[in-house]
């Protein structure tokens, strides 16, 4: 079961980052191997339906209800068995960092923490990015953290199942 850690970083009533964790019956190295193959993200994420990868960069194609959008991503942290993260942009505007921290848990398992940090703080460009987010995803900025937390719980539950089936 995924568990939230912390209320997230708040500024003027908006949450700028959230994280969720789950214990998985697989080694950090095995979990990392699955996460580092970003094309498999569509198996776990409730929004991603396809990924096109080119080296450290990839494009994620996403959908929620009848909304469909794409994001440009760059792998920013790749520490096997420890940490995997990527930065997301849309039309060159910084959007967020998504990542996974991995720690050993008892019995050969792993504590997997998924996190999201919103990068739309810059006043002018942030407003444009917020507007694009609303238009493309239908999610207002004030609800983004809540929606991402729910998506993380689904992602972690599915990742846990995939890891444990593979182990």
């Amino acid at each position: 079961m995924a568990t939230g850690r912390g209320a997230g970083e708040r500024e003027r009533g908006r949450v700028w980052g959230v994280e969720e964790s789950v214990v998985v019956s697989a080694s950090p190295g095995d979990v990392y191997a699955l996460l580092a193959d970003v094309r498999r993200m569509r198996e776990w994420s409730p929004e991603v339906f396809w990924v096109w990868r080119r080296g450290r960069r990839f494009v994620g194609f996403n959908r929620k209800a009848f909304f469909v959008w794409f994001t440009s991503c760059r792998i920013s942290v790749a520490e096997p068995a420890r940490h995997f993260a990527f930065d997301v942009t849309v039309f060159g505007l910084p959007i967020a960092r998504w990542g996974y921290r991995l720690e050993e848990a008892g019995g050969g398992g792993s504590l997997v923490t998924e996190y999201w940090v919103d990068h739309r703080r810059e006043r002018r460009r942030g407003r444009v990015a917020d507007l694009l987010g609303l238009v493309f995803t239908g999610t207002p900025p004030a609800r983004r953290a809540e929606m991402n937390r729910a998506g993380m719980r689904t992602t972690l539950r599915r990742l846990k199942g995939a890891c444990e089936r593979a182990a």
Side-chain angles (χ1 to χ4, degrees):
M1 168 123 189
T3 58
R5 287 179 21 187
E9 185 181 341
R10 291 184 180 271
E11 181 180 304
R12 290 176 290 201
R14 182 164 167 181
V15 177
W16 294 91
V18 294
E19 61 182 45
E20 289 287 322
S21 297
V22 68
V23 174
V24 174
S25 296
S27 73
D30 289 342
V31 177
Y32 181 90
L34 289 178
L35 291 170
D37 183 359
V38 294
R39 293 167 297 190
R40 295 197 63 187
M41 189 59 67
R42 66 184 181 182
E43 297 174 36
W44 312 306
S45 170
E47 291 182 347
V48 176
F49 68 88
W50 193 63
V51 173
W52 181 64
R53 182 170 182 177
R54 300 274 304 186
R56 290 183 70 88
R57 297 188 179 276
F58 61 96
V59 177
F61 295 85
N62 310 286
R63 84 172 129 238
K64 184 178 79 173
F66 59 87
F67 294 95
V68 177
W69 70 97
F70 69 92
T71 58
S72 298
C73 306
R74 183 183 59 81
I75 296 170
S76 51
V77 181
E79 299 173 14
R82 295 188 60 223
H83 192 183
F84 182 79
F86 53 92
D87 292 321
V88 179
T89 61
V90 171
F91 302 122
L93 297 170
I95 301 300
R97 172 170 284 186
W98 285 88
Y100 300 85
R101 290 187 304 272
L102 307 169
E103 301 172 38
E104 287 189 23
S110 303
L111 175 66
V112 181
T113 300
E114 181 177 13
Y115 66 91
W116 163 81
V117 179
D118 197 330
H119 286 177
R120 290 170 269 225
R121 289 183 189 217
E122 184 184 320
R123 180 172 261 162
R124 187 167 178 218
R125 290 174 52 149
R127 285 190 201 140
V128 172
D130 276 341
L131 178 61
L132 289 174
L134 178 60
V135 169
F136 291 147
T137 71
T139 303
R143 293 201 56 230
R144 189 169 290 121
E146 168 191 341
M147 296 298 293
N148 286 346
R149 186 180 297 281
M152 287 175 174
R153 289 176 178 157
T154 299
T155 298
L156 289 173
R157 185 181 72 247
R158 291 174 179 172
L159 177 64
K160 177 181 173 75
C163 288
E164 293 176 355
R165 281 190 300 277

